[in-house]
Amino acid sequence: MKVEWPEKKASIPKLSRTAGITLVVLFLFRFRQPADTHPKEQTMQLGKQVRLERIFDRNTKKTIIVPMDHGVTVGPIPGMIDLRGAVDKVAEGGANAVLMHKGLPRRTHRGHGRDIGLILHLSASTSLSPFSNTKTLVATVEDGLRLGADAVSVHVNVGDENERAMLRDFGEVSTRANEWGMPVLAMVYARGPRIADENHVDVVKHCARLGEELGADVVKVAYTGSPETFRQVVDGCCIPVVIAGGPKMENDAQILQMAFDAMQAGAAGLSLGRNVFQHENPTALLRALHGIVNDGLNTTTAMNQYLS
């Protein structure tokens, strides 16, 4: 005999309006796309990463940059007359990037040999001006994109009477660059009537930290003169710190020793201009510097191997 069991109906509790809204919100929150994985944001982050890899060694995460922006400031100085030849020499020596103003890339682009990164400099002033330490913007992030640059750079002289204008420009550039995924190198120096020693560790620490806090991806500062003091600069800044070369040095040993000491202190690399492109053999000097920065050579070994 077939037994008919009574149908058991599920009891569905009625939800209050508040509980229903809460469940909907929780559902949407659980399955929402996180803000940090938004496709456009991911693209910008990847773009910046790719560009940084063109100006930093992928294995060591170190860099050697050769600034060639001196023509605007002081004119066609020795070493910068034949621009194409100058770029060829530093590229073959192993530099990771050159830094220059917007009129030069079209005249110095290399369609052969070793590749080299491009950093477009956006700031300028001349030595003929009564306000030579006040930098003004002469190019844009979009100029850098159009010219195929791997990064842009801005220059701020902390302590100058017009510091506020340079800080404003820096902030605007870093905001715009971040929208495009373009890395920013900030050159931050202490130059002004209240600066007694622009290489003092406390001053240089301040410069490096300013670069980080206003949105730079890399900051370039003066070298403090010793590994012990420069370590304080690196420790106080969470982005890569590269050292400026400063005035032309007397001999190769001084250049190599400064590079070695800076790397021992934790620097991310070098940004040397006159000491490289005015050298009698820029290619050989850069190979020696490359050995120190990327291969861990000491000063004597690098000198004997590449400059003897």
Side-chain angles (χ1 to χ4, degrees):
M1 182 177 65
K2 185 177 180 182
V3 178
E4 296 289 342
W5 294 99
E7 183 179 355
K8 184 177 182 181
K9 295 184 179 180
S11 176
I12 302 176
K14 293 183 179 180
L15 296 176
S16 68
R17 178 181 177 84
T18 302
I21 293 174
T22 301
L23 284 174
V24 171
V25 171
L26 288 173
F27 179 86
L28 293 175
F29 182 83
R30 173 64 180 82
F31 294 100
R32 71 181 176 90
Q33 186 177 39
D36 59 356
T37 61
H38 189 281
K40 182 178 179 181
E41 183 66 21
Q42 284 184 320
T43 301
M44 294 300 116
Q45 290 174 356
L46 177 60
K48 180 173 286 192
Q49 179 183 338
V50 168
R51 292 182 176 99
L52 284 170
E53 287 177 359
R54 292 179 185 146
I55 58 176
F56 278 81
D57 186 285
R58 284 185 170 182
N59 297 317
T60 66
K61 312 303 181 187
K62 306 298 183 184
T63 187
I64 301 175
I65 300 166
V66 181
M68 294 185 170
D69 57 320
H70 301 66
V72 168
T73 308
V74 293
I77 58 177
M80 290 288 290
I81 307 300
D82 175 13
L83 293 170
R84 187 180 293 275
V87 174
D88 282 344
K89 290 174 184 176
V90 302
E92 295 308 319
N96 295 91
V98 291
L99 182 150
M100 55 181 57
H101 285 289
K102 62 183 178 182
L104 298 186
R106 71 193 77 175
R107 294 173 177 80
T108 57
H109 173 66
R110 305 175 81 241
H112 63 280
R114 184 182 179 278
D115 194 16
I116 188 167
L118 170 64
I119 302 173
L120 189 72
H121 197 35
L122 308 186
S123 306
S125 68
T126 75
S127 59
L128 304 177
S129 168
F131 309 104
S132 58
N133 281 334
T134 300
K135 302 294 180 178
T136 189
L137 293 180
V138 294
T140 65
V141 174
E142 288 78 8
D143 287 330
L145 292 166
R146 282 188 286 269
L147 289 168
D150 303 302
V152 295
S153 62
V154 292
H155 185 150
V156 175
N157 286 322
V158 177
D160 182 76
E161 293 91 336
N162 296 299
E163 174 194 278
R164 63 187 182 277
M166 288 181 275
L167 292 177
R168 181 195 62 225
D169 289 345
F170 179 9
E172 291 177 354
V173 166
S174 66
T175 296
R176 191 64 172 160
N178 190 58
E179 293 173 354
W180 284 106
M182 175 69 82
V184 175
L185 165 67
M187 305 179 187
V188 188
Y189 308 127
R191 295 171 179 171
R194 298 179 60 186
I195 308 299
D197 179 5
E198 65 182 77
N199 296 318
H200 192 279
V201 60
D202 290 336
V203 172
V204 179
K205 282 195 297 186
H206 192 165
C207 290
R209 187 55 175 265
L210 184 150
E212 175 190 352
E213 297 212 10
L214 291 190
D217 299 284
V218 186
V219 64
K220 171 183 173 182
V221 295
Y223 183 56
T224 55
S226 73
E228 294 76 22
T229 54
F230 200 72
R231 168 62 69 180
Q232 296 179 45
V233 177
V234 174
D235 288 345
C237 186
C238 296
I239 60 174
V241 180
V242 300
I243 65 164
K248 186 84 164 60
M249 295 185 183
E250 295 179 3
N251 54 59
D252 295 343
Q254 287 184 341
I255 300 172
L256 297 183
Q257 190 64 51
M258 179 181 70
F260 179 80
D261 289 346
M263 299 311 297
Q264 293 301 300
L270 319 171
S271 181
L272 308 183
R274 297 169 193 259
N275 284 301
V276 169
F277 63 70
Q278 289 188 335
H279 192 272
E280 61 182 3
N281 190 341
T283 301
L285 176 60
L286 278 165
R287 286 173 178 160
L289 290 170
H290 187 278
I292 290 173
V293 171
N294 292 296
D295 301 327
L297 300 184
N298 61 35
T299 302
T300 302
T301 304
M303 177 80 77
N304 293 338
Q305 190 165 335
Y306 296 103
L307 292 169
S308 296

